[in-house]
């Protein structure tokens, strides 16, 4: 990885800042952006995070310099239909306490997908990828859901939970894929991509 490139993280997420810091890569955070998230209609909701990450990247508030690489990302939780049918649904960040409780009740006892898309861009090129992880929740009681929501207030998290918090310790009985992807940033793939850029 070239030490002459300046890495900019276009995200206000403290989890993404923490994980990128763990790569020992110097970077700055700049979240000034003109992109406004709106409703997205895709046949497969797994395409949503890539569209949002691309919007954040291209909505960056200024042109990039030759020595800069911008990193933008987005994470969604997807609840696929069970045998009774229905459509797959994207669970974003909850609007309020009631919404957070509703989401966690929906995730209780089910397997869901966490999809994170990352876009790297400099003035002359752009590369992107999406990473999917399957997460299995055991059945949660209303008291457990209330405790988590009231104590941890997961209102800035897709699906209303943080895997690194109490709910991750007590509710998740299986993960297939990257743990860090569930936190919102698949750092192993980010590192691979950064290392491949001259």
């Amino acid at each position: 990885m070239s030490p002459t490139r300046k890495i900019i993280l276009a995200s206000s997420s403290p989890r993404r800042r923490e994980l990128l810091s763990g790569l020992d890569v110097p970077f700055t955070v700049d979240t000034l952006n003109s992109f406004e998230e709106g409703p997205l209609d895709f046949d497969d909701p797994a395409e949503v995070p890539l569209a949002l990450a691309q919007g954040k990247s291209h909505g960056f508030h200024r042109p990039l310099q030759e020595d800069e690489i911008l990193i933008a990302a987005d994470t969604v939780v997807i609840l696929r239909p069970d045998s009774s049918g229905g459509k797959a649904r994207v669970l974003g960040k909850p609007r309020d306490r009631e919404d957070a409780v509703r989401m966690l009740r929906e995730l209780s006892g089910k397997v869901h997908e966490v999809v994170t898309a990352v876009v790297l861009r400099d003035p002359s090129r752009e590369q992107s990828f999406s990473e999917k992880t399957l997460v299995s929740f055991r059945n949660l009681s209303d008291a457990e859901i209330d405790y988590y929501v009231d104590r941890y207030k997961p209102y800035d998290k897709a699906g209303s939970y943080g895997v690194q918090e109490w709910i991750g310790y007590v509710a998740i009985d299986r993960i297939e894929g990257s743990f860090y992807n569930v936190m919102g940033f698949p750092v192993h793939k980010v590192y691979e991509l950064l290392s491949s850029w001259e």
Side-chain angles (χ1 to χ4, degrees):
M1 190 180 312
S2 172
T4 61
R5 303 302 293 269
K6 297 175 182 175
I7 309 300
I8 303 170
L9 178 63
S11 174
S12 59
S13 165
R15 273 90 47 199
R16 291 193 182 115
R17 290 199 300 267
E18 175 189 349
L19 291 171
L20 188 55
S21 294
L23 296 179
D24 291 340
V25 175
F27 67 95
T28 58
V29 175
D30 190 339
T31 59
L32 289 177
N33 207 295
S34 63
F35 177 66
E36 294 184 10
E37 293 186 21
L40 295 170
D41 187 21
F42 290 100
D43 290 336
D44 185 352
E47 297 176 40
V48 169
L50 180 57
L52 293 174
Q54 288 171 333
K56 293 174 184 178
S57 179
H58 290 279
F60 192 62
H61 66 100
R62 62 171 176 81
L64 294 173
Q65 303 298 311
E66 287 298 324
D67 62 346
E68 293 178 327
I69 299 174
L70 182 71
I71 302 176
D74 195 86
T75 302
V76 298
V77 170
I78 301 171
L79 194 56
R80 299 285 180 181
D82 56 22
S83 56
S84 62
K87 289 183 65 176
R89 289 181 296 112
V90 171
L91 303 183
K93 296 175 183 177
R95 295 182 302 273
D96 50 28
R97 184 188 185 281
E98 182 180 355
D99 202 30
V101 169
R102 176 191 62 79
M103 287 186 192
L104 289 171
R105 282 179 179 158
E106 289 186 278
L107 295 175
S108 175
K110 297 187 180 77
V111 176
H112 61 272
E113 298 172 15
V114 179
V115 181
T116 299
V118 179
V119 176
L120 274 70
R121 185 170 63 86
D122 68 14
S124 60
R125 61 183 161 167
E126 176 178 322
Q127 287 183 271
S128 61
F129 67 87
S130 293
E131 178 86 353
K132 180 176 80 172
T133 302
L134 297 178
V135 181
S136 173
F137 266 35
R138 69 168 179 80
N139 287 309
L140 294 168
S141 69
D142 286 347
E144 289 169 328
I145 291 172
D146 289 341
Y147 172 83
Y148 175 68
V149 171
D150 290 337
R151 181 170 179 125
Y152 289 89
K153 299 179 172 34
Y155 305 127
D156 65 336
K157 298 175 177 67
S160 302
Y161 79 93
V163 66
Q164 73 281 9
E165 295 177 339
W166 181 85
I167 196 92
Y169 300 150
V170 305
I172 295 175
D173 54 25
R174 189 173 71 256
I175 291 178
E176 295 179 34
S178 167
F179 172 87
Y180 298 111
N181 186 53
V182 185
M183 283 182 70
F185 205 55
V187 284
H188 62 294
K189 285 200 170 181
V190 172
Y191 184 80
E192 286 177 13
L193 206 52
L194 282 174
S195 298
S196 71
W197 284 37
E198 293 298 328

